[in-house]
Amino acid sequence: CDMESYDGEGVTSWQYSWYKDGSADVFSDQQEHTFSPVAEFDEGKYSCYGVERGGSRRSQHSDEVTLTVS
């Protein structure tokens, strides 16, 4: 998730939510997510969303990114 375009004070003031395959459950709350090691189970479509901590700004949901493991 890249919120720099929303936040001139740095990305640390943003809270992130990652979603997998359209689920309402949060997959991760980090700005970046690393798969180590990656497995076929991790395949899917991921999107993220940001909310400013203590503020009122919200990002739009990102476009989905497809992860394929071969």
Side-chain angles (χ1 to χ4, degrees), residues 4-5 8 12 18 22 24 32 34-35 38 40-41 44 46-48 51 56 60 69:
E4 290 184 33
S5 60
T12 57
W18 284 88
E32 297 180 355
T34 302
F35 295 93
V38 67
E40 286 185 20
F41 172 82
Y46 294 86
S47 63
C48 65
V51 177
S56 59
Q60 296 181 0
V69 179

Side-chain angles (χ1 to χ4, degrees), residues 20-21 27 33-46 65-69:
K20 179 181 178 185
D21 294 330
F27 171 78
H33 183 77
T34 302
F35 295 93
S36 179
V38 67
E40 286 185 20
F41 172 82
D42 297 315
E43 285 189 344
K45 294 181 179 181
Y46 294 86
V65 175
T66 300
L67 174 65
T68 303
V69 179

Side-chain angles (χ1 to χ4, degrees), residues 9-65:
E9 299 172 4
V11 294
T12 57
S13 64
W14 286 83
Q15 179 176 351
Y16 305 94
S17 297
W18 284 88
Y19 301 92
K20 179 181 178 185
D21 294 330
S23 171
D25 295 329
V26 175
F27 171 78
S28 173
D29 61 0
Q30 302 299 307
Q31 181 184 354
E32 297 180 355
H33 183 77
T34 302
F35 295 93
S36 179
V38 67
E40 286 185 20
F41 172 82
D42 297 315
E43 285 189 344
K45 294 181 179 181
Y46 294 86
S47 63
C48 65
Y49 175 72
V51 177
E52 184 182 27
R53 297 178 196 269
S56 59
R57 291 183 290 181
R58 298 173 178 268
S59 76
Q60 296 181 0
H61 278 272
S62 70
D63 292 338
E64 287 185 328
V65 175

